[in-house]
Amino acid sequence: MSDFDNPDIDNRLKYFTYKPVNVAPEISLAAYFVVGSILVWQMVRHRSQRWVAILPGTAFSEAIGYAFRTACVYNTTFGMYVAMMLFLLVPPNALALANYKAVGKIMRDSHAQPRWFWLKPGFVNWFYFGSDVFSICMQGAGGGMLTGTNTRDAGRAVVLVGLIVQLFFFACYLATAFYVWWRPEYTVHVSPSDVSHASAKRRVMLAVTLTTGILYLRSIYRIAEFADGYGGKIYSSEWAFYVFDTILIFIAFIVYIVFFIGRNFPRSSNVARAPSVGHELQQRPVDSSQLLVSKDLPV
């Protein structure tokens, strides 16, 4: 008889392999609810575009996950454990969608002429968006399979594939983001709090690159956790979960709050941008007086 089929074993030991601590999930729930509320307030204040709602939505999803974890501290059931797994494993991946969207918007609105097709705004948007959705689906499906005795090994493999795919595209995206940051033809909207076009761009690019780096570290932890397997040292270490998942993702949200990208992506179409190289020349009007040839000049 396996541990999952033994009614005499505490459900917490069946699913977690340890008894979860009591205070940490409540603190995490409150912390993520607060950061989600702050991001909503920032969105309303700066009249941000709708896609920026991914940020507070992810924070509230994290809070729901920790609410289920709090319930599991007292009475772990199969349903609550599955819900906790899905809400804590999958939602942080949505932060990558916000980062992809931000860089894609910069590339599209700058009207720059890319040299290669993989730098075209349409390709960047759909390529990275599709990769992240694929990774989310893989991790969600694998997370559900992990709770079954007969499907646990297959679920671990599915989650690992999703995480490794995501790690690869994170690296590709970081290369794209640093290219956009480096090239002067890519510009962003200047908010009233920005002192210059350069500071506006630096704010946005710091936010997306720092948070993508944090997500990269979190993915490495998750890969190590699932590769180690159910009941392994990493899976059975609750402190590792709170350090490399809870705290890391919380730090990412602090970055989003400090360098709030929503102020640089307002809903209004009448925005101030730095003119991109080449585009400024195309839009500059020509003084007709410069085209006149004086009669006194020799022909």
Side-chain angles (χ1 to χ4, degrees):
M1 178 184 297
S2 66
D3 290 345
F4 276 82
D5 298 324
N6 190 345
D8 297 328
I9 296 180
D10 193 317
N11 280 346
R12 290 173 294 181
L13 298 178
K14 290 181 182 180
Y15 296 108
F16 293 96
T17 71
Y18 57 83
K19 293 184 179 180
V21 296
N22 185 18
V23 180
E26 289 93 330
I27 295 175
S28 302
L29 189 161
Y32 278 105
F33 183 81
V34 169
V35 297
S37 300
I38 292 174
L39 287 167
V40 169
W41 174 76
Q42 288 181 311
M43 279 194 64
V44 174
R45 178 188 177 193
H46 297 287
R47 297 181 57 83
S48 305
Q49 296 176 9
R50 294 178 181 177
W51 60 267
V52 182
I54 293 174
L55 302 181
T58 303
F60 290 133
S61 296
E62 285 281 295
I64 293 173
Y66 286 104
F68 281 114
R69 190 175 181 93
T70 301
C72 288
V73 170
Y74 301 99
N75 181 28
T76 303
T77 64
F78 175 77
M80 286 192 297
Y81 179 79
V82 171
M84 181 207 71
M85 281 285 294
L86 293 178
F87 275 100
L88 295 183
L89 177 65
V90 177
N93 301 321
L95 298 179
L97 293 178
N99 291 348
Y100 299 159
K101 184 69 174 180
V103 170
K105 289 282 292 181
I106 291 173
M107 298 176 76
R108 188 187 68 180
D109 295 343
S110 296
H111 303 288
Q113 299 298 322
R115 298 178 182 179
W116 304 284
F117 75 93
W118 57 81
L119 290 174
K120 291 184 177 180
F123 179 84
V124 170
N125 275 331
W126 288 108
F127 179 72
Y128 290 115
F129 179 84
S131 68
D132 205 52
V133 170
F134 172 77
S135 177
I136 289 174
C137 292
M138 292 286 287
Q139 293 177 49
M145 296 169 66
L146 283 170
T147 58
T149 306
N150 298 326
T151 59
R152 185 176 299 128
D153 290 338
R156 184 182 66 175
V158 171
V159 172
L160 276 173
V161 170
L163 288 168
I164 292 172
V165 167
Q166 186 178 55
L167 210 60
F168 170 76
F169 285 108
F170 277 169
C172 295
Y173 168 75
L174 280 173
T176 303
F178 279 116
Y179 178 84
V180 170
W181 193 350
W182 173 61
R183 298 295 298 180
E185 61 264 32
Y186 295 109
T187 61
V188 301
H189 163 69
V190 181
S191 70
S193 60
D194 293 315
V195 296
S196 65
H197 292 96
S199 67
K201 185 177 182 180
R202 182 168 59 252
R203 177 201 300 274
V204 175
M205 299 313 297
L206 272 175
V208 299
T209 53
L210 286 176
T211 52
T212 302
I214 291 172
L215 292 174
Y216 197 93
L217 293 176
R218 186 249 186 187
S219 294
I220 292 176
Y221 158 71
R222 284 297 191 175
I223 288 175
E225 178 191 26
F226 287 108
D228 193 32
Y230 172 80
K233 290 184 178 180
I234 300 177
Y235 182 89
S236 302
S237 300
E238 189 173 17
W239 69 265
F241 165 74
Y242 280 107
V243 170
F244 296 108
D245 196 298
T246 307
I247 295 178
L248 273 183
I249 298 302
F250 183 77
I251 292 173
F253 278 110
I254 296 301
V255 172
Y256 282 123
I257 290 173
V258 174
F259 303 103
F260 182 60
I261 61 177
R263 75 185 70 194
N264 299 103
F265 296 97
R267 282 179 296 204
S268 174
S269 59
N270 185 20
V271 297
R273 304 180 66 89
S276 60
V277 178
H279 184 67
E280 179 185 14
L281 297 176
Q282 297 175 6
Q283 299 297 326
R284 183 181 300 170
V286 178
D287 188 353
S288 59
S289 62
Q290 298 176 355
L291 302 179
L292 297 178
V293 179
S294 175
K295 296 180 179 180
D296 299 329
L297 294 177
V299 179

